[in-house]
Amino acid sequence: MKISAILLTSFSGALAFSPTFHVPKFPSSTSLSANIAVFGASGLTASECVYQALNNGDKVFGLTRNPSNLVIPKGSGGDKADQKLSNPNLTLIGGSATEAGDVAKIFEGNDIDGVVIALGGKTKDVGTTMLTDATKTILNAMKANGVKRVSVVTSIGAGDSKDQAPFMFKVLMATVMKNIFVDKNNQEELVKSSSDLEWCIVRPGGLTVEPPTGVINVIEGEAGSIARADVAQFCLDAITVDDFPYINKAPCISSVGGTSWVKDRSAKARDGME
């Protein structure tokens, strides 16, 4: 696994002031590589996880119903966006995360260090319990293979973050998105009950496909927007940073408000940490 440091900076009156931080880019050789499993690999946020992990020098093992849909993401991909995503360090398997046999293929002989669960799909296509069923299957496979770290992407408004959702989003949650939020809430409860795992439930605000900003704010008030690329960074660090501060927590993240989180990649922080 990668071994990195975390810099946490707190602000009083944070909801009135939006601190801005940028993550300096350093060569991936400064960190040890990891074997990362990504479920829902061709999705908009999951593909960011795949792409960024590969750029970090990690090996990625992805499961998706539609392997042909995996392309370089718009956010991090720049002028390569929408091209087919292939890499010698990428193993992509077609299958369903609700099927134990398909999930098992990701873990067989691959010495997985951590897992990202970033599943999606329209309820009419995947059913009303897909998130919960798939997460249960994945967590069981993790336990069977001795894998501890997992980050799970849900949404602002899920679980006890209902009051952090903007008003109009609350309306959607109670109407057209009611079934999906029942599934998300059950998914979160399942993860929280896994006391033998080191989990982080990631609740992003409004998602965009903009380039990564390096600004990831853990908020307590109403959520703003955040690039999927920044969500992906948070998810990856949740499974690769040994002392990640939100293990067994469910932070809401956006690009504005709250306590700003950023990985310290300074030379001083790296010294002696590898």
Side-chain angles (χ1 to χ4, degrees):
M1 278 192 183
K2 297 175 187 166
I3 304 174
S4 305
I6 294 289
L7 174 64
L8 290 174
T9 308
S10 299
F11 292 85
S12 59
L15 296 182
F17 173 69
S18 298
T20 301
F21 293 90
H22 298 279
V23 180
K25 293 183 178 180
F26 290 88
S28 59
S29 60
T30 61
S31 298
L32 300 178
S33 61
N35 292 347
I36 298 174
V38 179
F39 290 91
S42 62
L44 293 177
T45 301
S47 62
E48 280 283 359
C49 292
V50 172
Y51 187 66
Q52 291 184 33
L54 291 171
N55 286 343
N56 290 339
D58 299 322
K59 290 184 178 180
V60 178
F61 302 85
L63 183 71
T64 173
R65 295 188 304 272
N66 302 295
S68 62
N69 289 350
L70 179 59
V71 296
I72 296 174
K74 295 181 184 297
S76 296
D79 57 8
K80 297 180 181 179
D82 293 328
Q83 296 179 20
K84 183 177 177 59
L85 176 50
S86 61
N87 187 291
N89 285 335
L90 172 63
T91 299
L92 193 61
I93 296 173
S96 171
T98 61
E99 295 294 330
D102 293 340
V103 171
K105 294 175 184 177
I106 293 293
F107 293 92
E108 290 172 355
N110 293 327
D111 194 21
I112 300 297
D113 293 308
V115 172
V116 177
I117 301 176
L119 300 167
K122 297 180 180 179
T123 300
K124 67 181 181 65
D125 296 328
V126 301
T128 59
T129 63
M130 183 274 291
L131 297 176
T132 306
D133 295 341
T135 300
K136 181 177 181 179
T137 303
I138 295 165
L139 298 185
N140 285 341
M142 288 179 61
K143 294 172 185 178
N145 288 275
V147 181
K148 293 292 186 182
R149 283 285 181 102
V150 59
S151 56
V152 184
V153 182
T154 61
S155 173
I156 191 71
D160 58 7
S161 71
K162 181 178 179 180
D163 291 339
Q164 293 183 254
F167 175 75
M168 288 307 300
F169 194 67
K170 290 179 183 177
V171 174
L172 295 175
M173 288 168 54
T175 55
V176 296
M177 299 179 71
K178 184 175 181 179
N179 287 337
I180 187 64
F181 268 88
V182 169
D183 199 13
K184 286 181 183 293
N185 290 339
N186 291 336
Q187 178 190 30
E188 286 199 0
E189 288 304 312
L190 181 64
V191 174
K192 290 178 180 179
S193 68
S194 300
S195 58
D196 51 343
L197 298 179
E198 298 174 353
W199 51 264
C200 179
I201 294 171
V202 183
R203 297 167 171 166
L207 293 164
T208 74
V209 293
E210 299 299 316
T213 65
V215 179
I216 304 170
N217 297 327
V218 175
I219 61 172
E220 295 182 357
E222 185 174 301
S225 64
I226 186 169
R228 292 179 185 272
D230 290 319
V231 177
Q233 179 194 319
F234 194 83
C235 289
L236 292 173
D237 283 338
I239 62 175
T240 60
V241 174
D242 283 351
D243 56 351
F244 191 74
Y246 297 102
I247 293 301
N248 296 345
K249 296 181 180 180
C252 296
I253 59 174
S254 79
S255 294
V256 294
T259 300
S260 192
W261 170 95
V262 63
K263 182 162 54 175
D264 185 352
R265 292 179 178 172
S266 66
K268 181 178 179 181
R270 296 198 313 275
D271 185 35
M273 294 296 291
E274 295 179 27

